Amino acid sequence: MAATGQTSAGDNSALVAGYEAYQRGDVRGALALFEQVSASETGRVRCASLINAASMADELGEHVRAVELYRTALAELPEDGAHQRPAALVNLSQALQHLGDLAGAEGALREARELLVADSTLPNHGLMLVSCLLSLTAVALHRQEWAEASAVAAESLSATEQFAPQLIGHPLMNLAASSFETGRVELALDFANQAVAAFAQLGDPTALAEAQQNLAIMFVRANRLDDAEPPLLASQEFFTSTGLAHRAGIGAKTIGFLAERRGDLVGAGAQYTDALAGFTEAGALIEAADVRLRLATVRFATGNVAGAEALLAESFATYEAHGLGLHCAQLDYWHAELLYAASEFDGGAALGNGGGAVGDAAANPQAATQANAAAGARTQMPAPQVTASGGPLAGVVNPNASARGGYGSLQDGGAERVGEREAAGVGNRVTGEHRTPEHGARVEGRSVKRADHGRDSRDLARIAALAVPAALALDAVRHTLPNGNQRVHWHREIAGPAMQLAFQTAVAIGDGQLVADLVETQCAGTGLDLTRESGLVPRQLPYQLIDPPTTSTEPGTTWQLGNALADVAVAAGIPVSPPAHISDAGRILLADYISHTEQRYSRQVRDTRVLPC
């Protein structure tokens, strides 16, 4: 069997049997058969079996193993097996995407595309071209480059219609994903339903289940929960029965979200735990870190603060190890939000309560319900992301790669705007030496008040130490997002709420200088709604954390524009510098916080310019 999954002369019976096992949905059985052939054969047949085995491992969520198998096959390809290289490179790119190595994935795809463009006589040239374009779409979706994703998806749709009409569901689903992320929800649902119908007609159970799961996630994110459940449960049954850990993890996470939205914290915690196990088994470290945030939210709502913070610490370490500074900032903001909600409910006692596991809700459902009303209602996380279409092409060439991205429904918070220094409601503007954020937001030399609801000032100082650096980092990103729909979501769901919390905790601890500095830096740019209503206002964090590509900050490579023009410039593709430092009588506002923020998240949040306030 060639690397395309089609039988060819010289194939042995075990290789053909592996392909037939895959067609029956027995992915693990197919993997065993392909590995059996690779151990007993040499040359082209061994390489074909290695490529097939790698594709099966990737589909089972064993992405690290898949990458090793692909690279072994590519290194050993003999001259008479050179035609297998494009397929192997495309599939390698997919496994690398699952591991978050987008640069490696793009490199493999570029090499594959060059080979295909240079020689149109290669076996299965059309199929390979379709697969390559589908994978390039997936990379663009991963990077949240929605315009690029839509363009390549449209190109792949044309190529699929010409070369592989039976696979039309894949570009349709990718068009659905890019349409959804640019706010065209009804068009996205139409594309997704077409994809489901196409896969059902094709009789490909794996691709059908993936499309059903993607459709369900779109329904969830569109707040059509009842519509989401049938395709979600149907796809989850397939993924769990076939041992596809990664996809089963996505399904469990989404089912957990439905349970959480319906107030079933025990059920949500169980599903999130299953999802975490699936992602861990699949080696999907970033997605495992993401689902820990959801599980931590449930544990906070059930009073298990210690357990929740342990999960958040694990996620932070994972993000930090992978250089995801903005993920770390978003986590810190969410951590502060959860702590604030917990302290609001029980006057700060929850912050010192080790609590039990998620199952504690079963032992004390009334307390869990009350905690959920106070914490969970304020700290709901929105729905999961839509993934790119995939599924092995004819059994082996797999265009699938998760398109990680997405945001929840828009939530507006706050009623009044802080427009000047005194509007924050602080009794005294306290002057004096800046505290160092590394030391836990100390309040020495300050006029510190006990907050409303009986919050302890030490708890609030800790919350401020998380909230203020996170807000500075997240606010600095506001003008770097090139997509308008993305900027709207970032403003309303990330930068705005984070800055609101920073202001609120600064007010609560009575730090007049911090409040004044935050007001000055905000007044120097585009205003945000920095207050929230006094009641329980739902706070949402996008399910898929955003980490925009880093833009060059070398002199002459970016435009140094005021914030009022920055949105216009970035929408036109012009790189924009970070905000400038603001000085007041020679003192750099928020200097200690800015330094701490840049060190903690390994990101530049201020330009070298200094502007007077």
Side-chain angles (χ1 to χ4, degrees):
M1 183 169 63
T4 59
Q6 299 174 349
T7 58
S8 60
D11 287 345
N12 64 30
S13 58
L15 202 57
V16 174
Y19 172 62
E20 292 173 346
Y22 174 79
Q23 291 294 83
R24 294 193 305 270
D26 183 8
V27 181
R28 195 164 293 280
L31 172 60
L33 288 166
F34 291 138
E35 289 190 320
Q36 176 185 331
V37 177
S38 68
S40 61
E41 296 289 340
T42 59
R44 183 190 66 81
V45 175
R46 167 176 160 78
C47 289
S49 63
L50 284 169
I51 293 170
N52 289 344
S55 183
M56 298 301 102
D58 195 44
E59 189 159 336
L60 288 166
E62 301 174 14
H63 308 306
V64 173
R65 182 183 182 187
V67 169
E68 293 173 352
L69 289 168
Y70 282 131
R71 285 178 170 161
T72 299
L74 287 166
E76 296 182 11
L77 272 177
E79 186 175 342
D80 65 346
H83 63 280
Q84 297 172 334
R85 181 171 292 275
L89 287 167
V90 170
N91 284 346
L92 171 62
S93 75
Q94 173 190 300
L96 290 170
Q97 287 175 67
H98 285 142
L99 295 174
D101 184 1
L102 297 184
E106 186 175 8
L109 289 170
R110 285 177 177 173
E111 182 181 348
R113 194 171 195 176
E114 288 177 2
L115 292 170
L116 293 166
V117 169
D119 187 0
S120 61
T121 66
L122 285 170
N124 302 292
H125 171 269
L127 191 64
M128 292 300 98
L129 181 60
V130 168
S131 181
C132 186
L133 291 172
L134 289 172
S135 291
L136 282 170
T137 307
V139 170
L141 289 169
H142 269 298
R143 290 177 168 168
Q144 301 170 27
E145 298 171 349
W146 309 125
E148 174 69 11
S150 295
V152 181
E155 183 183 354
S156 68
L157 180 65
S158 298
T160 304
E161 289 174 332
Q162 179 180 357
F163 298 114
Q166 73 278 13
L167 301 175
I168 200 70
H170 296 294
L172 285 170
M173 185 54 74
N174 287 340
L175 282 167
S178 60
S179 297
F180 194 93
E181 299 303 344
T182 51
R184 297 173 292 175
V185 175
E186 292 305 318
L187 178 61
L189 293 172
D190 182 60
F191 278 134
N193 276 301
Q194 289 185 57
V196 169
F199 290 130
Q201 183 177 4
L202 179 62
D204 184 337
T206 303
L208 174 60
E210 290 175 352
Q212 288 173 324
Q213 187 181 80
N214 288 338
L215 175 61
I217 289 171
M218 289 183 190
F219 278 132
V220 167
R221 292 181 56 197
N223 202 32
R224 292 167 58 174
L225 305 187
D226 291 339
D227 291 330
E229 200 159 29
L232 177 61
L233 296 180
S235 61
Q236 188 68 357
E237 182 179 357
F238 174 83
F239 293 132
T240 54
S241 66
T242 53
L244 300 179
H246 183 262
R247 280 285 184 168
I250 294 173
K253 176 175 61 178
T254 311
I255 294 171
F257 174 79
L258 291 180
E260 186 179 353
R261 284 286 296 271
R262 291 165 175 165
D264 179 8
L265 296 182
V266 175
Q271 290 293 335
Y272 292 152
T273 301
D274 288 347
L276 180 58
F279 290 139
T280 302
E281 178 185 344
L285 301 181
I286 304 303
E287 287 176 294
D290 290 348
V291 83
R292 285 190 184 98
L293 299 187
R294 289 198 176 279
L295 188 54
T297 302
V298 172
R299 290 191 175 178
F300 259 102
T302 56
N304 182 7
V305 175
E309 294 198 302
L311 290 169
L312 293 171
E314 288 185 70
S315 292
F316 190 99
T318 299
Y319 295 147
E320 186 176 40
H322 286 79
L324 300 175
L326 277 181
H327 283 57
C328 293
Q330 291 170 81
L331 184 149
D332 277 349
Y333 155 63
W334 192 240
H335 189 181
E337 189 75 70
L338 292 169
L339 287 171
Y340 193 90
S343 67
E344 180 176 57
F345 172 62
D346 61 7
L351 304 190
N353 178 15
V358 173
D360 291 348
N364 191 351
Q366 183 178 4
T369 300
Q370 292 173 342
N372 187 43
R378 291 180 54 111
T379 56
Q380 296 175 4
M381 300 176 72
Q385 80 284 5
V386 178
T387 58
S389 174
L393 296 180
V396 178
V397 180
N398 194 340
N400 172 52
S402 298
R404 304 186 56 207
Y407 318 88
S409 57
L410 300 182
Q411 293 287 335
D412 289 316
E416 56 183 298
R417 179 181 299 275
V418 175
E420 51 185 294
R421 297 175 191 269
E422 293 77 18
V426 178
N428 299 312
R429 176 173 176 177
V430 185
T431 59
E433 191 173 297
H434 276 298
R435 66 181 178 278
T436 304
E438 292 91 327
H439 296 143
R442 288 180 293 144
V443 293
E444 298 166 10
R446 302 283 186 224
S447 172
V448 179
K449 300 178 182 179
R450 186 173 180 83
D452 292 340
H453 308 291
R455 292 188 182 92
D456 189 279
S457 61
R458 291 169 298 179
D459 294 336
L460 287 168
R462 181 187 175 207
I463 294 168
L466 289 167
V468 174
L472 293 175
L474 299 173
D475 184 60
V477 178
R478 288 187 296 144
H479 302 302
T480 66
L481 305 173
N483 176 267
N485 189 58
Q486 195 177 52
R487 287 198 302 276
V488 167
H489 281 285
W490 186 267
H491 284 12
R492 295 188 183 181
E493 297 182 15
I494 300 296
M499 193 59 71
Q500 287 171 2
L501 185 63
F503 266 85
Q504 195 162 13
T505 53
V507 170
I509 62 176
D511 191 337
Q513 187 68 69
L514 175 57
V515 173
D517 287 357
L518 287 171
V519 170
E520 290 286 8
T521 55
Q522 284 298 300
C523 289
T526 302
L528 291 172
D529 186 353
L530 298 172
T531 62
R532 63 174 86 191
E533 296 172 357
S534 59
L536 297 179
V537 180
R539 267 305 154 232
Q540 294 193 340
L541 182 70
Y543 184 87
Q544 178 53 53
L545 303 183
I546 306 171
D547 198 29
T550 302
T551 56
S552 173
T553 56
E554 294 297 321
T557 63
T558 58
W559 287 69
Q560 297 180 339
L561 300 175
N563 286 352
L565 295 177
D567 274 346
V568 177
V570 75
I574 301 172
V576 177
S577 295
H581 288 280
I582 305 298
S583 67
D584 182 8
R587 179 179 65 87
I588 302 297
L589 305 188
L590 301 172
D592 291 335
Y593 277 105
I594 290 169
S595 176
H596 174 61
T597 298
E598 294 185 337
Q599 179 180 9
R600 181 168 176 81
Y601 305 129
S602 300
R603 289 185 63 92
Q604 182 181 2
V605 300
R606 289 294 186 271
D607 190 58
T608 55
R609 296 169 297 151
V610 178
L611 302 178
C613 63

